[in-house]
Amino acid sequence: MAPKRGGKVVSAKKKPEKAVNPLFEKRPKQFGIGGALPPKRDMSRFVKWPKVVQIQRKRRILKQRLKVPPALNQFTKTLDKNLATSLFKMLLKYRPEDRAAKKERLLVKATAEAEGKDPGVSKKPIVVKYGLNHVTYLIEQNKAQLVVIAHDVDPIELVVWLPALCRKMEIPYCIVKGKARLGTIVHKKTASVLCLTTVKNEDKLEFSKILEAIKANFNDKYDEHRKKWGGGIMGSKSQAKTKAKEKLLAKEAAQRLT
C-alpha cells in the first residue's frame, strides 16, 4: 500500500546481521527415510504391557470406581509412616533364625552330643510368629500381644475376618503396607500376618508406646471404620459430565423461579 501524500515515510529498521563463521556450515537435520534419527519420545502409551500389569491396573481402577464394603475398605487405612517405621524396627529385633543359622545351631548340638558333652537346654527364643493358622491359634488362646496384618493379601478373604477377631479378644492389631515387607522379617517372599507374643524387658517401654498408638488408630476406631464405605470415585471425564449436567439443571431451576 502506497504512503499517503504529505505523510512521513517511516524507514524500516535494519536488523544487525549475525556474523557467520564460514568454517561451520549450517546443516539442518532431515528426519525422512534414511535420514537422521528422530528425537526420543515417551512411547509408554503405545507399549503393549504384560498381562499381569494390565490386570493390576484394571483392578486398581475397578476398586476406585465400584462401591467397596466397609469390611474391605478398612484395608485401605494403613498405619502412618512414622509409626510403621518404629514398628518394623521393633519387629526386626525379633526376627526368627534363617536356614543357615538353624543348620549351624543343629550342627553344634550334634557335635556336642557326639563328643558326649551335654548340649544344654537353651531357653526358647522370643521371635516373631507367622503363618495364618498359627497366629489365629495364638489370638484365640489370648497369647498374642500385637497382630500385624498386610493390606494387600490376595485373596483378601483370608484375613478379612482378623480385625473383628482381634477386637473381640481385645488384642491390638494394625494394618500395614506390603505383604512382601512382612515377608522380609521372617525370611519369606511374603507374609499375610505376623504376631508378637512377648518382648524383652529392655524393649517393654517402647513396645507399650507403640501399642497405645496402634490401639488409638485401629481398635478404638473399629466402629467408625465398620460404617465407612469406599470407592465410588469416577474418572475425570465422568466427573466433568456430571458437573455439566448439574450446572444445566441448576440453570433450568433458576429460570423456572424467575
Side-chain angles (χ1 to χ4, degrees):
M1 199 175 164
K4 289 179 182 179
R5 285 182 183 181
K8 288 181 180 179
V9 178
V10 181
S11 59
K13 285 183 180 178
K14 286 184 179 180
K15 289 181 180 178
E17 289 181 8
K18 285 183 180 178
V20 181
N21 194 336
L23 294 173
F24 301 102
E25 191 183 337
K26 191 179 181 183
R27 292 177 190 164
K29 283 186 178 181
Q30 300 292 327
F31 296 115
I33 295 164
L37 291 170
K40 284 187 178 179
R41 293 193 185 99
D42 182 20
M43 304 293 283
S44 57
R45 184 181 168 81
F46 307 101
V47 173
K48 189 174 181 183
W49 294 98
K51 200 74 179 170
V52 177
V53 176
Q54 286 180 36
I55 290 165
Q56 281 174 350
R57 290 177 179 181
K58 283 173 183 175
R59 187 184 287 168
R60 188 183 172 190
I61 290 163
L62 266 177
K63 279 182 180 175
Q64 285 179 338
R65 302 283 181 272
L66 301 174
K67 283 268 186 179
V68 182
L72 301 182
N73 189 49
Q74 66 181 332
F75 287 91
T76 59
K77 294 166 178 65
T78 52
L79 206 62
D80 66 273
K81 196 179 177 183
N82 294 332
L83 193 55
T85 307
S86 55
L87 172 65
F88 276 96
K89 275 182 186 174
M90 174 70 70
L91 291 172
L92 282 168
K93 289 181 184 178
Y94 298 97
R95 284 183 91 181
E97 62 183 1
D98 58 351
R99 281 185 181 180
K102 188 180 180 181
K103 192 177 179 182
E104 195 180 329
R105 177 174 60 81
L106 292 173
L107 191 68
V108 169
K109 190 181 177 183
T111 311
E113 282 177 359
E115 289 172 1
K117 293 176 185 174
D118 184 30
V121 181
S122 58
K123 281 185 178 180
K124 202 175 182 182
I126 300 167
V127 290
V128 173
K129 311 291 180 185
Y130 63 98
L132 195 56
N133 288 342
H134 188 200
V135 171
T136 308
Y137 172 77
L138 291 169
I139 294 167
E140 285 170 347
Q141 296 296 313
N142 224 344
K143 289 179 182 177
Q145 285 191 13
L146 173 65
V147 177
V148 184
I149 308 162
H151 86 298
D152 57 347
V153 179
D154 188 38
I156 197 73
E157 287 84 4
L158 290 171
V159 292
V160 81
W161 44 270
L162 262 179
L165 179 66
C166 290
R167 188 175 176 273
K168 188 188 175 185
M169 301 303 290
E170 295 179 354
I171 291 168
Y173 75 93
C174 64
I175 296 160
V176 295
K177 280 190 177 178
K179 58 184 178 182
R181 200 177 174 193
L182 291 184
T184 54
I185 289 164
V186 292
H187 311 288
K188 301 281 178 189
K189 281 184 183 178
T190 57
S192 303
V193 58
L194 301 182
C195 161
L196 270 172
T197 50
T198 183
V199 290
K200 291 171 186 172
N201 289 333
E202 59 263 28
D203 295 325
K204 277 186 177 176
L205 183 66
E206 192 187 340
F207 186 59
S208 64
K209 284 178 185 176
I210 292 168
L211 284 185
E212 277 175 30
I214 285 169
K215 270 185 182 177
N217 284 336
F218 288 91
N219 290 58
D220 298 346
K221 289 183 180 178
Y222 181 79
D223 289 321
E224 186 189 318
H225 292 167
R226 204 176 66 178
K227 293 169 189 174
K228 238 178 197 175
W229 281 68
I233 303 160
M234 304 312 288
S236 56
K237 286 180 185 176
S238 188
Q239 282 179 10
K241 276 182 187 176
T242 311
K243 278 180 184 176
K245 219 175 191 178
E246 284 171 2
K247 210 175 183 182
L248 194 69
L249 288 167
K251 199 177 180 182
E252 283 175 8
Q255 282 174 353
R256 279 187 212 132
L257 288 167
T258 53

